[in-house]
Amino acid sequence: QVQLVESGGGLVQVGGSLRLSCAASTRTLNSYVVGWFRQAPGKEREFVGVIGLNNENTNYADFAKGRFTISRDVRKNMVYLQMNSLKPEDTAVYYCAGGRGVYYLAQNYEYWGQGTQVTVSS
């Protein structure tokens, strides 16, 4: 069984930045495609971005393009979500998910973390 753990969430001012981290409780994330999703209260879980097994293979939702960057540190067995120019609309619980392929729907990922809260104050 593989369990993921997100960290790095917290309170940030509008226009500020946060860097979220994703790690696996066992094994390594290096062998998994990792997607990032977020869910605001009363809203559907939505796709943020994804990084393939190749670190150069990334894709982002429209709202994240140009502001968010996903990267993979193979040595540390970690995946990061760098978020810049944060807006109040970015307030949500952020999740990382592990899968066997590059997917854009949450249902296609098999491993999930508990999520980390990101709150952007206006």
Side-chain angles (χ1 to χ4, degrees), residues 1-2 14 18 20-21 27-28 30 33 43 63 65 67 70 77-78 86-87 93 97 101 107-108 110-111 120-121:
Q1 182 179 355
V2 177
V14 61
L18 281 176
L20 307 185
S21 300
R27 304 179 187 176
T28 176
N30 293 344
V33 173
K43 304 295 183 180
F63 67 80
K65 189 71 175 181
R67 295 192 299 131
I70 301 173
N77 301 311
M78 300 280 288
L86 284 164
K87 308 172 181 179
V93 176
Q107 65 189 95
N108 292 317
E110 55 187 309
Y111 304 114
V120 184
S121 61

Side-chain angles (χ1 to χ4, degrees), residues 5-70:
V5 179
E6 304 93 343
S7 62
L11 293 166
V12 64
Q13 293 177 296
V14 61
S17 299
L18 281 176
R19 190 185 196 186
L20 307 185
S21 300
C22 177
S25 60
T26 185
R27 304 179 187 176
T28 176
L29 286 183
N30 293 344
S31 61
Y32 294 92
V33 173
V34 176
W36 285 92
F37 295 81
R38 70 184 188 183
Q39 188 165 22
K43 304 295 183 180
E44 298 287 332
R45 187 168 298 188
E46 65 178 341
F47 172 79
V48 175
V50 60
I51 185 167
L53 296 176
N54 187 324
N55 291 343
E56 298 179 352
N57 183 18
T58 56
N59 188 262
Y60 303 93
D62 287 342
F63 67 80
K65 189 71 175 181
R67 295 192 299 131
F68 296 1
T69 303
I70 301 173

